[in-house]
Every structure is written in structure tokens, then in C-alpha cells.
């Protein structure tokens, strides 16, 4: 039972807590390969920065949504979204939330996808943060998050 609970993650956005089931390790690997294929690796570094408090995770996620939309073909983007939030619930509800529930608020849905990526791939953050400090790459990532 506790093993199953360890595969349920939570993210909060606009005062709402969402629960989602972590994708399988195989799907996680496939997501990472898709992100890397389109040069979205700075996204993971940006999420690492947000984890250490250098930037708001919401602001970082918002910037990353634009990067993903501009670089990834629709099929790969859909795969990432479906893999991350295929089993999404609002806290306290047993009814799954789908992309359709975000009609007119797709940026919110896409932001949740990115925040879920940061949550699922949290084991990358420590390594990436050390890498950023050793290469001074943190400023580059932070500067791309300014509103444009």
C-alpha cells in the first residue's frame, strides 16, 4: 500500500492541489528522450533552479511552456502531456481531470504538465544545480524567464 502511495504525487497551482500518478519508468525515459531531442534540456535546469528558490516554479514553468510549444512537434508534445497527466485528480475528488476540463485555460494545463515534470524528475535537480554553480549557467536560465 505504501509503495502505491509513493507513486502518487501532488502539485499545487492557483490554490488548487492536484494529484497525479507517476508515469512508469519506461514512459519517464521516453519523455526525457523527447525533451532532449528538441533541446528542451534547459527546462530541467530551470526547474532545478525553481527547486532551490532562485525563481518561482510557476514563472519558470510558464516560460518552459512557451519553449516546449515552439520546439516540439504536436505528437511529441501530446505524448509528454499524456504521460505526465494521464491520471490527474483534484485533491479530494475521485473523478479524473482531463485536458477538456481546462478549455479556455490551456496555459494552466500546460503549466501543470511542466510542474509535474519537475516533480517526477526531481532526482535530476541536485546534480543540475551543482552543474549550474560550477559553470555559472544559472544566469542564462534565469534571464530567459523574464516576461517578454
Amino acid at each position: 500500500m505504501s509503495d502505491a502511495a509513493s507513486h502518487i504525487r501532488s502539485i499545487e497551482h492557483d490554490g488548487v492541489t492536484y494529484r497525479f500518478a507517476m508515469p512508469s519508468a519506461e514512459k519517464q525515459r521516453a519523455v526525457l528522450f523527447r525533451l532532449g531531442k528538441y533541446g528542451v534540456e534547459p527546462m530541467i535546469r530551470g526547474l532545478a533552479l525553481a527547486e532551490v528558490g532562485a525563481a518561482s516554479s510557476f514563472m519558470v514553468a510558464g516560460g518552459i511552456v512557451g519553449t516546449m510549444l515552439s520546439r516540439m512537434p504536436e505528437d511529441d508534445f501530446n505524448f509528454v502531456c499524456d504521460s505526465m497527466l494521464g491520471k490527474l485528480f483534484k485533491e479530494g475528488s475521485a473523478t479524473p481531470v482531463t485536458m477538456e476540463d481546462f478549455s479556455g485555460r490551456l496555459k494552466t494545463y500546460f503549466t501543470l504538465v511542466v510542474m509535474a515534470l519537475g516533480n517526477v524528475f526531481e532526482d535530476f535537480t541536485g546534480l543540475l544545480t551543482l552543474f549550474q554553480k560550477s559553470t555559472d549557467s544559472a544566469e542564462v536560465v534565469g534571464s530567459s524567464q523574464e516576461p517578454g
Side-chain angles (χ1 to χ4, degrees), residues 21-61:
M22 274 184 70
S24 68
E26 185 176 311
K27 276 203 174 182
Q28 289 177 40
R29 180 186 65 196
V31 165
L32 282 175
F33 274 102
R34 280 172 173 80
L35 295 176
K37 185 165 63 170
Y38 301 108
V40 190
E41 179 267 341
M43 177 185 83
I44 301 293
R45 287 190 293 154
L47 288 168
L49 277 177
E51 292 297 319
V52 296
S56 148
S57 60
F58 173 73
M59 287 183 63
V60 171

Side-chain angles (χ1 to χ4, degrees), residues 62-120:
I64 292 166
V65 168
T67 302
M68 289 175 71
L69 286 171
S70 68
R71 294 185 185 174
M72 295 178 74
E74 185 178 1
D75 288 348
D76 285 338
F77 185 76
N78 290 341
F79 177 83
V80 170
C81 291
D82 294 344
S83 296
M84 291 295 106
L85 299 184
K87 297 175 184 174
L88 179 68
F89 297 86
K90 280 187 179 179
E91 188 67 45
S93 174
T95 305
V97 179
T98 68
M99 189 175 79
E100 293 302 317
D101 294 310
F102 293 92
S103 181
R105 300 181 307 125
L106 280 179
K107 184 177 179 186
T108 298
Y109 178 79
F110 295 151
T111 300
L112 290 172
V113 169
V114 172
M115 292 173 80
L117 284 166
N119 192 300
V120 168

